[in-house]
């Protein structure tokens, strides 16, 4: 067992940390305030090989391992959780299923441009009445000559409207329940495929979260991802990987809030001394640091197992559960230690506290993670 | 087009702390970085490579084996080849001996259309190695470049001056030293980081036996400069407070500037 980063991982950490500090941090507050999708950040991430970074080079990616990917999401999320999730959704939820389940032709057409960062990807599973109960899909794909006709809608889709390509799940045979769900690859601009309501959210304001609407969209047969009826499995496997990205995002948010707080308590004076001299403050920092470090270790462990080809579903669930709840705890304490200033938008911890909450909800709520973990533990 | 970029690994003196007891720089925990001006030289080379992928960019440095890290960083930014000149015999070199050593390496690597250096290093601050290297190689040099335009086989360079710039034109091959006004250096990129770290030995290391040089031309032996004494200037912390109206305080401030000969009497 070796807990030190490899030289590649160290270089990637150094690079993304500098990139995040200089390119992403200065606009994070404005992105939050204006709710504008940070297209500039995406273009810069493409230039530096972050989009598709963990896709093998033969498929257009940079060929980095999953710990490097977790480090990148973490470093970005330290300063801007919106930018972190754009990268996570693109890599984990679009590139990964194409890599695992795509045909060579699909990989050539959709994975290579996405891994190059020329296109942006999204993943659409959730529906108004099918959240955790993903099997209650009502979006329907009917078999027609040469392909399928898709009708229905998806909600809360990350990168929606901004993304060029979408992995979309739909019922092909409602009589079969989860075995009747199939996955498809859709392109923005196809006839009948449109975008609906833009959600107004508590946090990650710059991340585009929208509804997808399908009105008789024709999907050619070659855009069926995996086999017909295997969509639910594809979704679950994809979300296992996605949870590593969200765990990394949560670790980043927590570390970012901790960094801000340590800087603040050293300069904030009350009773003629910096508040960092008070033991109550010191002990709070100790708890924040310990939980953040533990969350990071769980996240890297899950990422390492994925790279090694070992089972990681349970590890990813534990990482996501613990890291997201840690982000909630740490950002809450960060605001508390900033006092009244922490509640204002003058300091970034207010934004970080709002951003943290989503990590306990998307890509499987904490309750879903507990279901996964307990089923592994109890059997 | 063949481009050589000379870089130096330096302690990050932008965040320097001084031991108040001994008056010396605290080296412990000070990270080593690529000399900031050298990054502008490398960035210009990489910009030319972006425009013409046939451009070959070699990065050269002299220093202890630890300087490999700095060269690896250059490769991760997109340079094609990296060479480190490292040998006990090279230790203690002043700028003269350093230029001798670099020039010998350049002669072995010939030919280059363009040699780029940073204007000066933040540790020694001499700004001599670039110009001395050009002299050793008997090629023209243009120092303090704030902009460079390459056309056919010549360059048009704006040299940064205190009160403006000087426009200079010259034919290749040439050595140019870069100022920070020249460009904004890029970051390493993930593709190159992964590729470079997969290579067995991304940095070639050359010692004295690899260069056509006498031991007397390099290192301390080859250095005419002798350091007589090193000292830290005494830190003084005299603070004077002025009181009165704004006009009176301004007048007192001007008077004290005159007393200190900071402005004309």
């Amino acid at each position: 067992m070796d807990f030190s980063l490899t030289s590649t991982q160290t270089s990637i950490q150094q690079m993304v940390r500098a990139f995040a500090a200089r390119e992403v941090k200065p606009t994070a507050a404005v992105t939050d305030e204006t709710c504008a999708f940070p297209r500039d950040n995406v273009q810069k991430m493409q230039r530096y090989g972050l989009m598709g970074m963990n896709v093998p080079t033969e498929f257009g990616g940079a060929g980095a391992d999953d710990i490097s990917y977790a480090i990148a999401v973490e470093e970005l999320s330290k300063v801007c959780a919106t930018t972190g999730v754009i990268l996570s959704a693109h890599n984990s939820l679009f590139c990964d299923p194409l890599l695992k389940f795509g045909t060579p032709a699909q990989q050539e057409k959709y994975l290579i441009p996405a891994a190059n960062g020329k296109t942006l990807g999204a993943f659409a599973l959730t529906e108004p009445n099918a959240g955790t109960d993903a099997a209650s899909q009502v979006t329907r794909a009917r078999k027609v000559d040469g392909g399928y006709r898709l009708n229905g809608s998806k909600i809360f889709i990350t990168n929606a409207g901004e993304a060029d390509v979408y992995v979309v799940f739909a019922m092909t045979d409602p009589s079969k329940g989860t075995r009747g769900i199939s996955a498809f690859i859709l392109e923005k601009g196809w006839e009948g495929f449109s975008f609906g309501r833009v959600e107004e959210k508590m946090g990650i304001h710059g991340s585009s979260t929208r509804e997808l609407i399908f009105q008789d969209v024709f999907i050619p047969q070659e855009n069926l991802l995996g086999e017909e009826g295997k969509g639910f499995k594809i979704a679950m496997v994809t979300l296992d990987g996605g949870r590593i990205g969200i765990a990394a995002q949560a670790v980043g948010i927590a570390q970012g809030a901790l960094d801000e707080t340590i800087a603040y308590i050293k300069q904030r004076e009350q009773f003629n001394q910096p508040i960092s001299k008070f033991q109550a403050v010191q002990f709070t920092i100790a708890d924040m640091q310990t939980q953040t470090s533990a969350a990071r270790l769980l996240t890297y462990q899950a990422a390492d197992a994925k790279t090694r080809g070992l089972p990681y579903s349970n590890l990813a669930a534990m990482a996501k559960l613990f890291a997201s709840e840690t982000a909630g705890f740490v950002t809450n304490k960060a605001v508390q230690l900033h006092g009244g200033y922490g509640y204002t938008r003058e300091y970034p911890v207010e934004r970080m506290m709002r951003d943290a909450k989503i990590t306990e909800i998307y890509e499987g709520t904490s309750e879903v993670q507990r279901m996964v973990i307990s089923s592994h533990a109890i059997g | 087009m063949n481009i050589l970029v000379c870089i130096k690994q330096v302690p990050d003196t932008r965040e320097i702390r001084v031991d108040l007891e001994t008056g010396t720089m605290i080296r412990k925990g000070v990270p080593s970085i690529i000399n900031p001006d050298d990054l502008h030289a490398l960035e210009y080379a990489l910009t030319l490579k972006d425009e013409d992928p046939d451009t070959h960019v070699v990065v050269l440095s002299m220093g202890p084996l630890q300087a490999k890290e700095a060269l690896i960083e250059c490769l991760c930014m997109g340079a094609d080849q990296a060479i480190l000149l490292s040998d006990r015999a090279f230790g203690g070199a002043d700028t003269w001996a350093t230029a001798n050593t670099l020039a010998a390496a350049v002669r072995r690597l010939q030919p280059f259309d363009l040699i780029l250096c940073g204007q000066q290093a933040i540790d020694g601050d001499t700004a001599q190695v670039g110009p001395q290297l050009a002299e050793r190689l008997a090629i023209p040099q243009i120092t303090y470049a704030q902009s460079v335009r390459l056309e056919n086989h010549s360059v048009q360079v704006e040299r940064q001056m205190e009160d403006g710039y000087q426009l200079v034109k010259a034919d290749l091959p040439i050595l140019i030293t870069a100022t920070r006004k020249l460009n904004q250096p890029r970051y390493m990129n993930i593709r190159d980081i992964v590729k470079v770290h997969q290579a067995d030995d991304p940095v070639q290391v050359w010692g004295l036996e690899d260069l056509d040089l006498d031991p007397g031309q390099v290192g301390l032996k080859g250095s005419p400069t002798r350091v007589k004494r090193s000292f830290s200037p005494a830190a003084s912390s005299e603070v004077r407070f002025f009181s009165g109206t704004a006009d009176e305080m301004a007048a007192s401030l001007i008077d004290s500037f005159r007393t200190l000969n900071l402005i004309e009497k």
Side-chain angles (χ1 to χ4, degrees), chain B residues 36-58:
Chain B
D37 287 345
D38 303 350
L39 286 174
H40 297 281
L42 177 61
E43 176 60 32
Y44 183 63
L46 295 175
T47 309
L48 294 177
K49 187 178 157 72
D50 291 340
E51 287 163 15
D52 176 9
D54 285 338
T55 303
H56 187 73
V57 178
V58 183

Side-chain angles (χ1 to χ4, degrees), chain B residues 135-202:
Chain B
E135 288 301 307
R136 290 296 181 290
L137 297 170
I139 59 170
Q141 56 175 289
I142 301 176
T143 50
Y144 303 107
Q146 65 174 27
S147 102
V148 182
R149 234 177 71 211
L150 183 77
E151 256 170 26
N152 301 323
H153 212 65
S154 72
V155 284
Q156 204 165 299
V157 178
E158 285 179 13
R159 295 188 67 223
Q160 189 184 323
M161 315 294 275
E162 273 184 17
D163 52 355
Y165 65 84
Q166 186 182 40
L167 193 62
V168 186
K169 202 175 166 189
D171 288 336
L172 301 182
I174 192 161
L175 183 144
I176 295 172
T177 75
T179 67
R180 81 183 79 146
K181 275 194 180 174
L182 185 59
N183 49 40
Q184 181 63 45
R186 67 193 62 194
Y187 304 94
M188 296 185 274
N189 71 77
I190 309 280
R191 289 168 204 282
D192 285 319
I193 291 173
V194 173
K195 196 172 71 188
V196 168
H197 286 90
Q198 277 168 351
D200 284 338
D201 225 341

Side-chain angles (χ1 to χ4, degrees), chain B residues 55-114:
Chain B
T55 303
H56 187 73
V57 178
V58 183
V59 199
L60 176 68
S61 189
M62 185 180 93
L65 285 174
Q66 187 207 321
K68 269 189 184 181
E69 290 167 16
L71 288 165
I72 286 173
E73 199 175 324
C74 296
L75 293 170
C76 293
M77 288 167 70
D80 299 291
Q81 189 186 350
I83 295 154
L84 176 65
L85 309 177
S86 196
D87 197 308
R88 267 176 190 282
F90 301 156
D94 65 1
T95 60
W96 179 275
T98 302
N100 283 342
T101 316
L102 293 175
V106 177
R107 279 192 290 268
R108 187 177 157 180
L109 287 160
Q110 299 267 33
F112 288 102
D113 303 290
L114 192 55

Side-chain angles (χ1 to χ4, degrees), chain A residues 154-342:
Chain A
K154 297 282 167 183
I155 55 161
F156 302 153
I157 305 309
T158 302
N159 290 350
E162 302 293 338
D164 308 284
V165 276
Y166 298 78
V167 169
V168 176
F169 297 86
M171 250 333 154
T172 37
D173 187 349
S175 68
K176 290 187 179 161
T178 55
R179 289 196 176 83
I181 298 171
S182 302
F184 300 93
I185 308 163
L186 269 74
E187 293 177 29
K188 180 180 175 175
W190 277 3
E191 207 180 329
F193 178 15
S194 61
F195 303 99
R197 178 188 161 79
V198 178
E199 300 298 339
E200 291 178 12
K201 309 186 293 292
M202 176 192 278
I204 54 164
H205 281 173
S207 166
S208 173
T209 310
R210 289 184 75 174
E211 183 185 14
L212 309 186
I213 301 165
F214 313 109
Q215 291 167 301
D216 243 10
V217 180
F218 175 72
I219 307 172
Q221 185 64 38
E222 64 263 28
N223 279 40
L224 172 71
L225 180 65
E227 289 170 44
E228 195 179 289
K230 292 285 170 66
F232 190 73
K233 188 184 163 239
I234 292 174
M236 292 304 114
V237 169
T238 301
L239 287 171
D240 280 343
R243 283 165 193 160
I244 296 172
I246 301 308
Q249 184 198 23
V251 171
I253 296 170
Q255 188 65 55
L258 182 55
D259 293 348
E260 293 290 341
T261 306
I262 290 170
Y264 179 79
I265 60 169
K266 283 182 175 170
Q267 56 88 16
R268 170 67 172 170
E269 290 191 5
Q270 290 288 272
F271 305 101
N272 300 317
Q273 62 176 347
I275 61 170
S276 60
K277 300 283 184 199
F278 293 104
Q279 197 174 49
V281 172
Q282 293 167 352
F283 280 16
T284 307
I285 294 290
D287 291 342
M288 293 161 80
Q289 178 69 72
T290 304
Q291 291 203 28
T292 305
S293 296
R296 180 178 294 113
L297 281 177
L298 276 174
T299 305
Y300 290 2
Q301 188 190 9
D304 184 58
K306 183 169 185 276
T307 294
R308 288 175 195 272
L310 299 170
Y312 63 91
S313 171
N314 188 32
L315 292 171
M318 289 194 288
K320 201 243 177 202
L321 171 65
F322 189 77
S324 60
E325 295 194 346
T326 294
F329 167 79
V330 170
T331 53
N332 190 309
K333 290 294 179 195
V335 170
Q336 191 66 26
L337 291 182
H338 277 71
Y341 291 110

